[in-house]
Amino acid sequence: MVDIKVHTLGMIGFGGMARYHFDHIQPDSYPRVRIKGVFDLAPPARQAGHDRGTYVYSSKEELLQDPEIDLVLVATTNEAHKALSIEALRAGKNVICEKPAALSSTELAEIISVAEETGKVFTIDHNRRTNLDFVLAKRIIESGKIGEPYIIESRVEGSRGMPTGWRTLKNLGGGMMLDWGVHLIDQLLYLIPSAVIQVYCKMFSLQYPEVDDNFHLTLTFENGLVAIIEVGTNNFVTHPRWYVYGKNGSFKIDDWDCGGLLTYCINKEDVWDEEICYTRAGSTKTIAPRNENSTKSEILQAPEDAIDSITVVYDQFLDAVEGKAQLTITPQQAMRVMKTMEAAFASAKSGNSEKVVI
């Protein structure tokens, strides 16, 4: 039987996301971590800690001075991530921070510098790399069935507007770019082995004037690929979660359940008929259907062997803490995401595309 090293975790911030962590890394299902306690400024959050039977610290200082704790989760509102991450690192703790890791590349650079200075591990909860829809999209692209992709569309959409609360406030790091955009950009940068060279973004503030509640982002990569990322909170008829154009095929993934369709070319010698085709669009050759024997289609479904769990994020974190492996979610990757978001904000403000090398 392999001995498992058990790490002791303290949580700073105990809102909805921290409670998600709490519920999914309990010892019966994830024995690598023991949660000793939590701290939050808000009385309802502290009560939630009491209700879950965990110790509730009287202050962040009490938590950070606890010698048993070697790991700290920072899961506060976004504007506090930098200061708390640095304080925890300087207290000798390894830190996993909720996304976004900071509100600017300058802030993130400060955290990285302190992590290097203290020799402690700092990672970010980019947990959507394990989502089954992303895993499925990545596997299809890497299979080569659709050939080299040249456009990737990634969307998250709802129709109820943006949630109220801190997300509506700029000084707390609100808005959809910092809430969902950070995840979708991270997925694309993790997927595409090329630098971003141009960023164009249009942001909308339909409900709340301080922050973006909808945005349309276009990234152009050095290898020629274009990624379109949209987050909408006012979309009553939704697009597919993914739509990907390849030189030899296309696929769409409809939603989080991973239903969809993959169609790819199996006969590249398909030739045009001499006669014009008559369709509901009128007489045409351009949009005439392909020969039915020239393509193959596959109904998509969720990959059964993939693990979609926050424990994957903790595994790579703890493996790095124990010196077994390098982080797979690195501060440097988070920096690329942060710089891409900064370029998106700059583009939305100026109305022009931003030339970058990210």
Side-chain angles (χ1 to χ4, degrees):
M1 183 176 179
V2 178
D3 289 333
I4 296 175
K5 179 176 175 57
V6 179
H7 296 266
T8 303
L9 174 71
M11 297 182 170
I12 300 179
F14 201 59
M17 198 62 215
R19 295 172 210 174
Y20 180 86
H21 285 251
F22 187 97
D23 293 342
H24 286 80
I25 54 171
Q26 288 298 308
D28 57 342
S29 60
Y30 193 70
R32 298 184 73 179
V33 168
R34 174 178 74 96
I35 301 170
K36 182 169 183 184
V38 304
F39 170 73
D40 197 296
L41 290 171
R46 293 199 296 272
Q47 185 59 50
H50 287 301
D51 292 345
R52 281 167 167 76
T54 193
Y55 180 72
V56 178
Y57 289 91
S58 61
S59 67
K60 73 177 188 301
E61 288 79 13
E62 182 192 4
L63 185 152
L64 293 176
Q65 290 167 11
D66 188 334
E68 290 188 8
I69 288 179
D70 65 320
L71 312 176
V72 168
L73 169 68
V74 174
T76 59
T77 49
N78 295 336
E79 90 292 350
H81 287 178
K82 184 201 84 165
L84 290 171
S85 294
I86 288 175
E87 194 170 351
L89 290 166
R90 291 203 184 282
K93 316 302 185 184
N94 300 289
V95 175
I96 178 169
C97 183
E98 263 304 320
K99 57 76 192 169
L103 293 186
S104 70
S105 57
T106 301
E107 287 190 356
L108 181 53
E110 291 183 54
I111 301 173
I112 293 172
S113 177
V114 173
E116 292 173 348
E117 171 194 328
T118 59
K120 293 300 176 180
V121 177
F122 176 74
T123 193
I124 304 92
D125 183 27
H126 284 308
N127 60 304
R128 300 222 171 251
R129 294 185 190 181
T130 69
N131 283 178
L132 299 184
D133 62 286
F134 173 66
V135 173
L136 177 59
K138 188 172 185 288
R139 288 182 179 183
I140 294 171
I141 291 170
E142 291 175 346
S143 74
K145 287 183 177 180
I146 66 167
E148 184 178 351
Y150 59 94
I151 299 176
I152 298 177
E153 300 178 5
S154 170
R155 293 180 174 88
V156 169
E157 299 169 316
S159 64
R160 300 179 63 189
M162 192 167 70
T164 58
W166 67 267
R167 288 178 179 83
T168 69
L169 303 175
K170 184 176 181 179
N171 67 320
L172 298 185
M176 285 294 103
M177 178 61 72
L178 292 173
D179 191 40
W180 266 105
V182 60
H183 278 310
L184 304 188
I185 293 169
D186 177 70
Q187 287 180 336
L188 267 295
L189 298 189
Y190 184 63
L191 175 65
I192 301 166
S194 183
V196 179
I197 60 171
Q198 184 171 307
V199 177
Y200 178 75
C201 189
K202 177 65 178 176
M203 292 181 173
F204 302 87
S205 300
L206 301 182
Q207 289 180 286
Y208 304 102
E210 290 190 20
V211 297
D212 61 296
D213 49 25
N214 299 262
F215 70 81
H216 184 288
L217 171 65
T218 302
L219 306 179
T220 301
F221 290 81
E222 192 171 33
N223 65 3
L225 187 147
V226 172
I228 298 169
I229 300 173
E230 286 188 288
V231 174
T233 62
N234 196 54
N235 296 42
F236 290 83
V237 178
T238 58
H239 296 82
R241 170 71 184 88
W242 296 89
Y243 195 99
V244 180
Y245 307 70
K247 291 184 176 179
N248 296 323
S250 309
F251 71 87
K252 70 182 180 78
I253 300 173
D254 294 323
D255 51 34
W256 308 103
D257 292 330
C258 296
L261 182 68
L262 161 65
T263 299
Y264 53 96
C265 182
I266 57 174
N267 177 11
K268 296 181 182 180
E269 303 304 318
D270 187 37
V271 296
W272 293 101
D273 293 330
E274 289 298 324
E275 299 296 326
I276 288 177
C277 177
Y278 293 90
T279 71
R280 292 293 295 270
S283 57
T284 180
K285 278 195 172 183
T286 305
I287 62 172
R290 294 185 63 94
N291 182 304
E292 63 181 12
N293 297 319
S294 68
T295 62
K296 182 176 181 180
S297 293
E298 299 177 10
I299 303 297
L300 299 179
Q301 59 185 13
E304 295 181 357
D305 62 328
I307 299 173
D308 186 9
S309 171
I310 203 165
T311 60
V312 177
V313 177
Y314 276 88
D315 279 336
Q316 61 91 39
F317 178 42
L318 298 181
D319 285 348
V321 169
E322 295 172 12
K324 295 178 179 178
Q326 298 295 312
L327 287 171
T328 58
I329 304 175
T330 69
Q332 290 72 29
Q333 292 169 342
M335 180 65 81
R336 291 188 69 209
V337 176
M338 182 59 64
K339 289 184 175 181
T340 302
M341 291 193 296
E342 286 180 332
F345 282 117
S347 172
K349 184 176 181 179
S350 71
N352 301 315
S353 62
E354 295 287 314
K355 301 289 187 181
V356 296
V357 180
I358 300 173

